[in-house]
């Protein structure tokens, strides 16, 4: 079954095809208005959302299909203790495709292993958000006319910012991209992104705490919200929440054609006055998100029976438990604990659900 759990599930060529379809939908919506007639999308949102859920729903309705689902875990049987695996089996009896958001990292992957219909990851904890990346890529492509040969600055909460993690994974497959990582020391990008994506792809990057220093170099500035819901200690959130606020003054040193992105929701990291600046593209990103989700639904339904080969090499099962409290294995005890050997020389294994744990040597 073809799913979208991680942005790297799709090749660069497939991403290009999705962008082409999205642009065609934008130009000729009438051609697509009955393509999903008789099909149902289930939106299973265990965590709050405005854009992702409603754009998925709008996407399916504009394709002529219909939508079922819930927007609050407390109104589903998860509140009675039902597992993600069982939920996925049940929803497979009612719908043709699932979009799932969950606070636990790896939950949509577990759903995809148990569903008999395609599963789309609509955001899992601080891990990934591949459909936001589809919106981001189309926006960059439409604004810059290309995705290659650009310098992209990511600013804010790079530790828990799942949209950042997915977009970096996508950009790593394009040529000649420079990355600038702008964050407080406490919110730096996780090691697995540096080791598994940036270093492995020889992607040039620099880390800084200064937005002002980075600004003149950037073709794209990707601002992010500090993710209050991921902090264990509210005092740490309070201390970090205003680390970066983009104002018109700060944009004076930016390139005239720099593109400002933000996955939204914004709290106060971009001043409202910036919205009028031509470089502000975050509301265009919202529209592009719906178009890309339409293209994605069409693709996954068309490929429903195609196989997706997962790399099963170097997997180790059940020797130890993942100790990331945000991982889906922390709540679904019956799941196999599976680790992938990602660095043979240094004996580093990572949990296949959340990726963010590296366990050295212990399971050799
Ligand atoms: N960008 C994004 O995921 O927004 P929502 O949380 O509103 O879905």
């Amino acid at each position: 079954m073809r799913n979208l759990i991680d942005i790297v599930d799709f090749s660069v060529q497939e991403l290009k095809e999705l962008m082409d379809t999205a642009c065609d939908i934008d130009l000729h919506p009438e051609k697509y208005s009955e393509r999903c007639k008789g099909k149902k999308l289930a939106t299973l949102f265990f965590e709050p959302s405005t854009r992702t859920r409603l754009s998925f729903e709008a996407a399916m309705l504009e394709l002529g299909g219909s939508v079922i689902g819930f927007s609050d875990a407390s109104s589903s049987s998860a509140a009675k203790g039902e597992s993600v695996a069982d939920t996925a089996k049940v929803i497979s009896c009612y719908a043709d495709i699932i979009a799932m958001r969950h606070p636990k990292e790896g939950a949509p992957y577990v759903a995809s292993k148990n569903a008999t219909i395609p599963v789309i990851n609509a955001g899992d904890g601080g891990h990934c958000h591949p459909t936001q990346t589809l919106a981001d890529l189309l926006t960059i492509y439409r604004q810059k006319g290309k995705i290659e040969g650009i310098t992209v600055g990511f600013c804010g909460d790079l530790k828990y910012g799942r949209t950042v993690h997915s977009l970096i994974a996508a950009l790593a497959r394009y040529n000649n991209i420079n990355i600038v990582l702008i964050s407080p020391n406490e919110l730096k990008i996780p090691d697995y992104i540096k080791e598994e994506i940036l270093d492995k792809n020889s992607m040039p990057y620099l880390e800084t705490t200064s937005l002002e220093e980075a600004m003149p170099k950037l073709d794209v500035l990707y601002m992010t919200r500090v993710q209050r819901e991921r902090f264990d200690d509210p005092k740490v959130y309070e201390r970090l929440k205003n680390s970066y606020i983009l104002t018109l003054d700060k944009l004076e040193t930016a390139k005239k054609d720099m593109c400002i992105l933000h996955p939204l929701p914004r709290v106060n990291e971009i001043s409202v006055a910036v919205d009028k600046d031509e470089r502000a593209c975050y509301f265009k990103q919202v529209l592009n998100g719906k178009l890309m989700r339409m293209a994605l639904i069409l693709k996954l339904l068309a490929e429903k029976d195609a196989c997706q080969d997962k790399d099963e090499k170097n997997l180790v099962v059940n020797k130890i438990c993942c100790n990331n409290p945000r991982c889906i294995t922390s709540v679904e005890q019956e799941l196999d604990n599976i680790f992938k050997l990602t660095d043979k020389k240094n004996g580093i294994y990572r949990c296949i659900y959340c990726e963010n744990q590296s366990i050295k040597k212990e399971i050799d």
Side-chain angles (χ1 to χ4, degrees):
M1 185 74 61
R2 203 77 205 274
N3 305 288
L4 177 60
I5 302 302
D6 188 311
I7 194 66
V8 297
D9 292 341
F10 285 175
S11 67
V12 169
Q13 177 58 28
E14 286 178 307
L15 294 175
K16 166 85 171 58
E17 286 160 12
L18 283 176
M19 287 191 267
D20 289 345
T21 304
C23 292
D24 196 53
I25 293 170
D26 200 19
L27 284 175
H28 307 290
E30 69 291 344
K31 261 172 49 185
Y32 296 87
S33 64
E34 297 205 0
R35 290 279 177 94
C36 287
K37 203 170 169 186
K39 300 288 184 193
K40 283 193 283 275
L41 165 74
T43 51
L44 312 183
F45 277 61
F46 296 83
E47 210 184 42
S49 168
T50 295
R51 273 148 297 278
T52 311
R53 184 173 67 84
L54 294 178
S55 68
F56 263 117
E57 296 192 359
M60 193 49 155
L61 295 175
E62 289 180 33
L63 291 167
S66 46
V67 179
I68 58 172
F70 52 82
S71 57
D72 180 355
S74 67
S75 68
S76 79
S77 283
K80 298 180 232 164
E82 187 164 47
S83 67
V84 167
D86 282 359
T87 304
K89 287 177 193 157
V90 169
I91 301 300
S92 298
C93 302
Y94 304 147
D96 300 283
I97 185 165
I98 292 172
M100 174 184 280
R101 171 169 290 188
H102 202 287
K104 289 291 179 190
E105 298 169 9
Y109 179 58
V110 171
S112 73
K113 289 282 171 210
N114 289 278
T116 55
I117 57 177
V119 175
I120 299 167
N121 179 0
D124 60 329
H127 183 214
C128 291
H129 193 347
T131 67
Q132 179 63 47
T133 304
L134 298 181
D136 303 340
L137 290 175
L138 182 59
T139 311
I140 294 172
Y141 182 66
R142 285 181 138 180
Q143 293 304 123
K144 311 301 297 176
K146 60 178 183 176
I147 296 179
E148 298 181 337
I150 54 173
T151 298
V152 183
F154 291 91
C155 178
D157 183 349
L158 309 190
K159 181 177 180 185
Y160 298 118
R162 59 193 175 195
T163 64
V164 172
H165 306 162
S166 289
L167 182 53
I168 290 176
L171 292 174
R173 293 167 326 146
Y174 291 85
N175 292 328
N176 199 15
I177 304 265
N178 287 291
I179 300 287
V180 185
L181 301 165
I182 309 150
S183 73
N185 286 326
E186 292 97 325
L187 297 178
K188 282 166 94 165
I189 201 98
D191 285 346
Y192 84 90
I193 303 273
K194 285 193 226 170
E195 290 159 13
E196 299 302 316
I197 300 173
L198 295 169
D199 294 342
K200 264 198 183 152
N201 290 286
S202 306
M203 222 176 160
Y205 71 93
L206 69 86
E207 292 186 286
T208 176
T209 54
S210 169
L211 175 58
E212 288 79 357
E213 188 187 296
M215 190 72 87
K217 305 183 184 87
L218 306 178
D219 299 302
V220 174
L221 170 59
Y222 196 97
M223 294 296 295
T224 62
R225 172 178 70 92
V226 177
Q227 308 269 308
R228 178 171 49 81
E229 62 275 31
R230 313 275 175 232
F231 283 80
D232 295 327
D233 182 350
K235 286 196 205 105
V236 180
Y237 168 73
E238 286 301 320
R239 182 162 52 76
L240 296 174
K241 69 178 183 186
N242 293 325
S243 297
Y244 302 98
I245 299 178
L246 183 64
T247 57
L248 286 172
D249 287 356
K250 289 191 186 143
L251 281 172
E252 277 174 16
T253 60
K255 291 183 183 173
K256 296 289 170 245
D257 63 348
M258 188 183 77
C259 169
I260 307 165
L261 301 183
H262 190 309
L264 304 178
R266 140 177 77 183
V267 183
N268 64 348
E269 55 282 351
I270 301 181
S271 142
V272 173
V274 172
D275 297 0
K276 292 197 184 74
D277 192 290
E278 279 186 356
R279 292 168 285 193
C281 298
Y282 27 93
F283 292 110
K284 291 178 185 166
Q285 233 173 318
V286 173
L287 174 64
N288 289 333
K290 185 193 70 174
L291 296 170
M292 286 299 269
R293 289 179 178 110
M294 290 174 81
L296 175 65
I297 290 169
L298 288 172
K299 177 178 174 64
L300 290 181
L301 287 179
E303 293 188 19
K304 201 166 165 186
D305 297 322
C307 284
Q308 188 177 34
D309 289 328
K310 281 268 171 195
D311 182 6
E312 298 282 308
K313 286 196 298 279
N314 298 324
L315 293 185
V316 175
V317 180
N318 264 349
K319 293 269 177 74
I320 52 168
C321 294
C322 178
N323 60 4
N324 173 9
R326 301 187 309 276
C327 180
I328 186 67
T329 55
S330 69
V331 287
E332 299 216 358
Q333 307 300 339
E334 72 281 8
L335 287 174
D336 285 338
N337 286 286
I338 306 179
F339 290 81
K340 185 164 67 171
L341 179 61
T342 54
D343 180 347
K344 201 168 179 180
K345 189 162 152 252
N346 296 306
I348 294 176
Y349 292 82
R350 295 184 192 281
C351 169
I352 61 159
Y353 302 97
C354 69
E355 296 186 274
N356 205 4
Q357 295 293 297
S358 62
I359 292 96
K360 289 193 181 180
K361 302 281 184 200
E362 292 159 19
I363 46 181
D364 280 349

